Amino acid sequence: MLQGNAIIGQSGGPTSVINASLCGIIQQCLAQKAIEKTLGMRFGIEGFMRGDVIDLGRQQPAVIEGLRSTPSSALGSCRHKVKDDDFPKILEMLKQHNIRYYFLIGGNDTMDTIHRVEKYCRSQGYDLIGVGVPKTVDNDLWGTDHTPGFGSAARYVALSVRQAGMLARDMRYVDQYVIFQTVGRSAGWLPAAAAMARTAEDDAPHIILMPERAFDRRQFLADVKRCHERYGWCSVVCGEGVCYADGTPISASQTTDKFANVEFGAMGGSSAAMMLHRMINAEFGWRGEFQVCESLQMCAADRTVPGDVEEAYACGRRAVELAVDGQSGVMVSIVRDSNEPYRWSLGTAPLADVALGAKPMPDEYINAQGNGVTPACLEYLRPLVGPMPDYVRLAGNL
Amino acid sequence: MLQGNAIIGQSGGPTSVINASLCGIIQQCLAQKAIEKTLGMRFGIEGFMRGDVIDLGRQQPAVIEGLRSTPSSALGSCRHKVKDDDFPKILEMLKQHNIRYYFLIGGNDTMDTIHRVEKYCRSQGYDLIGVGVPKTVDNDLWGTDHTPGFGSAARYVALSVRQAGMLARDMRYVDQYVIFQTVGRSAGWLPAAAAMARTAEDDAPHIILMPERAFDRRQFLADVKRCHERYGWCSVVCGEGVCYADGTPISASQTTDKFANVEFGAMGGSSAAMMLHRMINAEFGWRGEFQVCESLQMCAADRTVPGDVEEAYACGRRAVELAVDGQSGVMVSIVRDSNEPYRWSLGTAPLADVALGAKPMPDEYINAQGNGVTPACLEYLRPLVGPMPDYVRLAGNL
């Protein structure tokens, strides 16, 4: 068994449960004889290369336990894409701190980093075990049923759309539409999760725009009109990365203002939801609002799904178990064993495969019109989002 | 004692606890001998004039009880400002339904409506008792220590700013600032409430912009720069109604894009936060984000403060007690009896006075620089927002 120190890093944007994974890794590292010191890299690989390292074994146990319910990336994070030039420096730091166990919590870029660092070390004759722990609210990671953090972000989206939908329904003689924008880049998992908000036919959301489908302005406005005719109001959920057929993001769409000046959205600090808002307003003259919560979806610790916290923590612990068992070059994965009741277990996926690419929404989860999800998608989402609150509705409130 | 039917209406934008007040009124009405039927006006006075009335006594008791934790305005709401021409129609409907008890849950426009309807009825020899129940997340209602709904919206703001602040701190090598926009129109109570998010000196928020103070672009950018130099990142909270000294809302400010075209924010669907985002980006070239949650702050039933729900419910019950006791032309008010421990009781305020105007933030709650709040303000806010969650921080995470 390899004897030495361990280091842990967090990478990319956080989730509400990324610190639960950190907690699991630290607690399990501290219990291992093979691991002498448990170190943390501040601000990911970027801080590590600068020597910004802290001794996690010196933290109060209550602080470590408290990570389980603390949002954001407690170690600090970065978005540094490791270049070939970085490897000698990284190896130097690994040697300096006698690090033999290397854990990163992140998405596919992060898995790629572990993979390449481990390969480089091997080529240089330095024994290093690298294991990845999955994390992203986008849920687009290959090799796992879902990613820790997705369920809690999905719940934030579903709760928001549900609550704002009830408000829009009850205020429909004042405002006629509400648009909620999710994060998730080019993956449609988060906007899709809004579908969990719906219990009755007229509930929000009415239209879901996922980046997996090209945006068609004419079709969109026809859908909005149809909803408005049917319900008297309309709820739209859109992924931030929705694009036109030619690949132009709708957030950067060319809209002319009242003075016929062309505006370029994203450049000036814009958003997809605002562009949709302007389109509806310009077409129908209705009042309405757009909601852009951005990273609030990634850090709402009071809205986490208990199962998501549990899985995130378990993934962290398992990474250490695999490492001291000598397994390297893998990411811990979550396997869905059964859907009802929901049962899961942990597996592994080779880092080399995970690093290759993102996992988009499968076609069978998106409806034929491209403006909503299928029953199969709801079945996939249900255990991850958790039970929605029971709100009442007065009889006769149609 | 006046014998007849009662009617209840909800008016204006909702709060997360407005239905708790509705629940209190209905349950107390159903227990009164003087009140025969308990009716609800759908979509406020606007629906009432159309005859859109439902019998609340026929609802399932479990549904009525469930209102206590259901967001939005379960009866439907409106923003209709009653005109003199409307009174004959309103009186006709009151007579048609034999209504002697008239309850509206709302803000100062709503209190004005009750006041004027009651006065008109008196002038026409029709006995009507009208009592108001306060409601607004803006907290700008005269005659009450605070309004039901404010505390829960304030908590939403404080939680969001706290969580997003931790995220911004830990991601500061990627993004340098975060801007959160609150609702609250021209009242600064909600942006001020963000101050509850701060426990350590470097915590968010760093700058709070309240509509009670004129916005000064130069001063703002200097503040942002100072925070960035001190902490490496910056958190800004702004009220949606912040204006320049000449009264122009910053959301409608003239910003030129990269092509030197003038953009008029609000007209094209803009926001104060987006304008601040563009200002910072243009001045310093940093990356950052703006968060515009809009009405989500007014309907997050899972983020209510228990005391707020309790007070909202109690205000509803008290309105009925006052009415059957023969008191008319008053609004139920909340009196703060002591701050630590927090103790409150119910009082009344004359509708005529409440209707007159809004209650701005007092000067002694705003700091001298006009970019934050005073200890007195924090003391006022603390019991309303409730205890903030205990998140941990790793030692050495500076």
Side-chain angles (χ1 to χ4, degrees):
Chain A
M1 194 185 288
L2 211 52
Q3 190 76 19
N5 298 330
I7 196 154
I8 314 167
Q10 293 175 311
S11 204
T15 73
S16 303
V17 304
I18 186 174
N19 285 333
S21 293
L22 176 61
C23 174
I25 303 176
I26 300 174
Q27 290 183 344
Q28 193 70 328
C29 278
L30 295 174
Q32 303 304 318
K33 287 206 179 115
I35 296 172
E36 287 152 20
K37 277 188 179 175
T38 302
L39 306 172
M41 46 176 89
R42 302 265 301 120
F43 299 102
I45 197 77
E46 205 177 324
F48 182 59
M49 290 193 290
R50 283 196 310 265
D52 199 351
V53 166
I54 57 174
D55 187 347
L56 293 167
R58 290 183 166 196
Q59 303 283 331
Q60 298 291 334
V63 169
I64 292 173
E65 181 59 28
L67 289 172
R68 223 191 264 248
S69 51
T70 292
S72 187
S73 302
L75 284 169
S77 188
C78 72
R79 286 198 196 275
H80 183 73
K81 220 169 160 98
V82 171
K83 297 178 290 286
D84 288 345
D85 289 357
D86 294 330
F87 290 131
K89 182 69 195 170
I90 292 171
L91 180 56
E92 182 195 327
M93 297 306 299
L94 290 169
K95 284 181 175 167
Q96 185 183 316
H97 290 285
N98 187 31
I99 291 162
R100 298 295 175 176
Y101 296 96
Y102 182 82
F103 302 103
L104 288 185
I105 314 168
N108 54 7
D109 280 348
T110 308
M111 298 308 142
D112 184 54
T113 300
I114 309 175
H115 178 59
R116 288 163 63 212
V117 165
E118 191 223 18
K119 214 164 69 176
Y120 178 80
C121 288
R122 206 179 317 124
S123 76
Q124 301 295 308
Y126 183 82
D127 283 333
L128 180 78
I129 287 184
V131 177
V133 175
K135 171 260 10 165
T136 170
V137 297
D138 304 346
N139 200 37
D140 58 352
L141 211 49
W142 190 92
T144 183
D145 177 75
H146 57 277
T147 49
F150 168 66
S152 299
R155 185 169 186 80
Y156 186 102
V157 169
L159 277 173
S160 298
V161 171
R162 173 99 181 241
Q163 293 164 347
M166 292 174 68
L167 190 153
R169 179 195 68 197
D170 295 337
M171 292 292 292
R172 66 183 180 264
Y173 289 115
V174 180
D175 296 316
Q176 279 74 52
Y177 62 92
V178 56
I179 305 167
F180 183 90
Q181 176 178 316
T182 74
V183 292
R185 297 182 304 175
S186 50
W189 295 102
L190 278 177
M196 292 305 299
R198 201 185 298 127
T199 50
E201 196 262 337
D202 61 338
D203 278 349
H206 303 142
I207 300 168
I208 300 175
L209 302 176
M210 290 155 282
E212 284 81 358
R213 294 291 177 267
F215 178 76
D216 178 330
R217 186 176 170 282
R218 202 169 298 185
Q219 182 57 48
F220 170 69
L221 290 171
D223 283 348
V224 169
K225 188 156 179 267
R226 180 182 43 79
C227 291
H228 189 268
E229 281 166 3
R230 194 174 299 173
Y231 312 121
W233 61 288
C234 181
S235 155
V236 178
V237 174
C238 71
E240 63 181 356
V242 170
C243 294
Y244 288 97
D246 68 358
T248 314
I250 61 167
S251 62
S253 72
Q254 294 188 17
T255 307
T256 50
D257 63 20
K258 296 201 172 182
F259 311 94
N261 293 323
V262 174
E263 284 189 322
F264 291 82
M267 276 193 255
S270 180
S271 71
M274 192 177 78
M275 288 302 172
L276 298 176
H277 168 70
R278 290 180 182 189
M279 267 179 224
I280 297 176
N281 186 264
E283 182 78 8
F284 304 111
W286 300 331
R287 274 177 55 119
E289 70 174 49
F290 63 98
Q291 301 165 341
V292 182
C293 297
E294 295 288 6
S295 62
L296 292 169
Q297 292 155 81
M298 299 150 70
C299 58
D302 61 314
R303 287 179 157 178
T304 51
V305 179
D308 192 18
V309 178
E310 198 189 324
E311 290 178 350
Y313 178 79
C315 285
R317 286 185 75 98
R318 176 59 57 89
V320 180
E321 291 163 7
L322 291 168
V324 295
D325 192 42
Q327 291 197 52
S328 188
V330 293
M331 176 186 84
V332 181
S333 67
I334 299 173
V335 180
R336 188 182 300 228
D337 295 320
S338 88
N339 214 36
E340 219 166 324
Y342 175 63
R343 288 210 185 89
W344 58 281
S345 56
L346 296 174
T348 58
L351 286 178
D353 295 348
V354 180
L356 279 180
K359 179 182 74 178
M361 292 262 293
D363 282 342
E364 61 267 30
Y365 283 7
I366 303 176
N367 71 9
Q369 301 79 33
N371 61 7
V373 302
T374 61
C377 184
L378 292 174
E379 205 176 310
Y380 169 84
L381 291 167
R382 193 163 288 117
L384 308 183
V385 174
M388 294 300 288
D390 265 332
Y391 298 140
V392 299
R393 188 170 186 164
L394 292 174
N397 188 358
L398 300 174
Chain B
M1 194 184 285
L2 211 51
Q3 190 75 19
N5 298 329
I7 196 154
I8 314 166
Q10 294 175 312
S11 204
T15 73
S16 303
V17 304
I18 186 173
N19 285 334
S21 293
L22 177 61
C23 175
I25 303 177
I26 299 174
Q27 290 183 344
Q28 194 70 328
C29 278
L30 294 175
Q32 303 304 317
K33 286 205 181 116
I35 296 173
E36 287 152 21
K37 278 188 179 175
T38 302
L39 306 173
M41 46 177 89
R42 301 267 300 123
F43 299 102
I45 197 77
E46 206 177 323
F48 182 58
M49 290 192 291
R50 283 197 311 265
D52 199 351
V53 165
I54 56 175
D55 187 347
L56 293 167
R58 289 183 166 196
Q59 303 283 330
Q60 297 291 334
V63 168
I64 293 172
E65 182 59 28
L67 289 172
R68 225 191 261 250
S69 51
T70 292
S72 188
S73 302
L75 285 169
S77 189
C78 72
R79 284 197 196 276
H80 183 73
K81 224 175 159 91
V82 171
K83 297 179 290 288
D84 288 344
D85 289 355
D86 294 330
F87 290 131
K89 183 70 195 170
I90 293 171
L91 179 56
E92 181 195 326
M93 296 307 299
L94 290 169
K95 284 181 177 168
Q96 185 182 318
H97 291 285
N98 187 30
I99 291 162
R100 297 295 175 177
Y101 296 97
Y102 181 82
F103 303 103
L104 288 185
I105 314 168
N108 53 9
D109 281 347
T110 308
M111 298 308 142
D112 185 53
T113 300
I114 308 176
H115 178 58
R116 288 163 63 213
V117 166
E118 191 223 17
K119 215 165 67 176
Y120 177 79
C121 288
R122 206 180 316 126
S123 76
Q124 301 296 309
Y126 183 83
D127 282 332
L128 181 79
I129 287 184
V131 177
V133 174
K135 171 266 358 171
T136 170
V137 297
D138 304 346
N139 200 38
D140 59 351
L141 212 49
W142 190 90
T144 182
D145 176 76
H146 57 278
T147 49
F150 168 66
S152 299
R155 185 168 186 80
Y156 185 102
V157 169
L159 277 173
S160 298
V161 171
R162 173 99 180 244
Q163 293 165 347
M166 293 174 69
L167 189 153
R169 178 195 71 198
D170 295 336
M171 292 293 290
R172 66 183 181 264
Y173 289 115
V174 180
D175 296 315
Q176 279 74 52
Y177 62 91
V178 57
I179 305 168
F180 183 90
Q181 177 178 315
T182 73
V183 291
R185 297 181 303 172
S186 50
W189 295 102
L190 278 177
M196 293 305 299
R198 200 186 296 125
T199 50
E201 196 261 339
D202 61 338
D203 279 349
H206 302 141
I207 299 167
I208 300 176
L209 302 177
M210 291 156 282
E212 284 82 356
R213 293 291 177 268
F215 178 75
D216 178 330
R217 186 176 170 280
R218 201 171 297 186
Q219 182 57 48
F220 170 68
L221 290 171
D223 283 348
V224 169
K225 188 158 181 267
R226 179 182 45 78
C227 291
H228 190 268
E229 280 166 4
R230 194 175 300 173
Y231 311 121
W233 61 289
C234 181
S235 155
V236 178
V237 174
C238 71
E240 62 181 357
V242 171
C243 294
Y244 288 98
D246 68 359
T248 314
I250 61 168
S251 62
S253 72
Q254 294 188 17
T255 308
T256 51
D257 64 18
K258 296 200 174 182
F259 310 95
N261 293 324
V262 174
E263 283 188 325
F264 292 84
M267 277 193 257
S270 179
S271 71
M274 191 177 78
M275 289 302 171
L276 297 176
H277 168 71
R278 290 180 182 190
M279 268 180 222
I280 297 176
N281 186 264
E283 182 79 6
F284 304 112
W286 301 331
R287 275 177 53 118
E289 70 174 49
F290 63 98
Q291 301 164 342
V292 182
C293 297
E294 294 288 5
S295 61
L296 292 169
Q297 292 154 81
M298 299 150 71
C299 58
D302 61 315
R303 286 178 157 178
T304 51
V305 178
D308 192 18
V309 179
E310 197 188 325
E311 290 177 352
Y313 178 79
C315 285
R317 286 185 75 98
R318 176 58 57 90
V320 180
E321 290 163 6
L322 291 169
V324 295
D325 193 41
Q327 290 198 52
S328 188
V330 293
M331 177 186 84
V332 181
S333 68
I334 300 172
V335 180
R336 189 182 300 228
D337 295 320
S338 90
N339 213 36
E340 220 165 325
Y342 174 62
R343 288 209 185 89
W344 58 280
S345 56
L346 296 174
T348 56
L351 286 177
D353 295 349
V354 180
L356 279 179
K359 179 182 74 177
M361 292 262 293
D363 282 342
E364 61 267 32
Y365 282 6
I366 303 176
N367 71 10
Q369 302 78 35
N371 61 8
V373 302
T374 61
C377 184
L378 292 174
E379 206 175 307
Y380 168 84
L381 290 167
R382 193 163 289 115
L384 309 183
V385 174
M388 294 300 289
D390 265 332
Y391 298 139
V392 299
R393 188 170 184 163
L394 293 174
N397 187 358
L398 302 173

